[in-house]
Amino acid sequence: MSLLNILRYPDPRLHKVAKPVTVFDERLKKLAADMAETMYDAPGVGLAATQIDVHEQLIVIDTSDTHDALQVFINPEIVWASEERQVYDEGCLSVPGIYDGVERPSRVKVRALDLEGKPFEIEADGLLAVCIQHEMDHLKGKVFVEYLSPLKRNRIKTKLLKEERELNRDKNKAAAAR
């Protein structure tokens, strides 16, 4: 297994819409395993293939404290969502260090395929429901900051671009010193 590079907002590749998975093979299993390893290392509770610049409908999620409840969703679709909504403070591996409240349905029923291509359904609430909806947004090319006001979104974009410039400047200084 290997760690993968996570795209950072506002990278335009985060806005690409993922295509359905049609081939269930060893490449897909390795991709899911590498995504899980990357998610755990980050550390996070969910990762969509879009975030690692693979535009296929694949997400991995583990909301357990012990990192032993990995769930893989391929071609997921929400088949039911509660009218009841909740605001949850969300963060994202592609938007490091930023957390803000997003309102979503509090419960969802999701239909997806597993790594063998077998269909399953799951009903989720709480953190799992939020995480599924958040990761499915990535597959549609949407990042959670798009639920925030334009002012907040622009502040976040400016902050992350500044951090990236500083990081690149430090890398260049280190390379020049060698």
Side-chain angles (χ1 to χ4, degrees):
M1 293 193 290
S2 55
L3 294 177
L4 306 167
N5 183 45
I6 298 172
L7 300 177
R8 283 176 55 119
Y9 180 79
D11 192 308
R13 294 172 290 180
L14 288 168
H15 298 294
K16 282 180 135 178
V17 176
K19 305 238 182 296
V21 171
T22 56
V23 178
F24 296 81
D25 57 4
E26 288 308 310
R27 180 200 69 85
L28 185 67
K29 289 177 182 158
K30 181 177 180 344
L31 177 61
D34 289 347
M35 286 174 59
E37 183 180 3
T38 302
M39 174 190 70
Y40 290 132
D41 182 72
V45 295
L47 186 66
T50 301
Q51 293 175 270
I52 54 152
D53 201 20
V54 174
H55 303 284
E56 298 175 33
Q57 293 181 14
L58 167 64
I59 60 179
V60 296
I61 293 174
D62 187 344
T63 57
S64 72
D65 292 332
T66 50
H67 295 171
D68 61 357
L70 182 67
Q71 296 178 311
V72 177
F73 298 82
I74 299 168
N75 302 340
E77 59 179 309
I78 294 174
V79 294
W80 175 84
S82 67
E83 287 185 28
E84 179 189 340
R85 300 176 72 79
Q86 69 182 19
V87 175
Y88 210 94
D89 241 12
E90 294 187 26
C92 181
L93 297 178
S94 292
V95 192
I98 305 293
Y99 299 88
D100 211 322
V102 175
E103 183 179 292
R104 298 184 185 272
S106 59
R107 295 186 329 274
V108 293
K109 184 186 282 188
V110 178
R111 182 180 302 134
L113 302 173
D114 66 15
L115 284 168
E116 304 299 324
K118 293 186 183 97
F120 69 94
E121 279 191 8
I122 183 173
E123 256 190 70
D125 60 7
L127 178 58
L128 181 58
V130 170
C131 194
I132 288 170
Q133 293 172 82
H134 175 110
E135 299 309 331
M136 285 181 67
D137 276 353
H138 279 299
L139 300 180
K140 298 172 194 155
K142 188 168 186 175
V143 181
F144 92 95
V145 296
E146 293 171 46
Y147 288 98
L148 308 178
S149 71
L151 178 64
K152 279 186 177 179
R153 199 167 44 247
N154 284 334
R155 283 184 180 160
I156 291 166
K157 186 185 290 187
T158 301
K159 178 182 183 213
L160 292 177
L161 288 171
K162 181 181 176 194
E163 286 175 7
E164 193 168 324
R165 275 194 307 275
E166 290 170 359
L167 185 66
N168 289 334
R169 185 190 66 223
D170 293 346
K171 282 181 187 175
N172 291 337
K173 280 184 185 177
R178 282 186 230 148

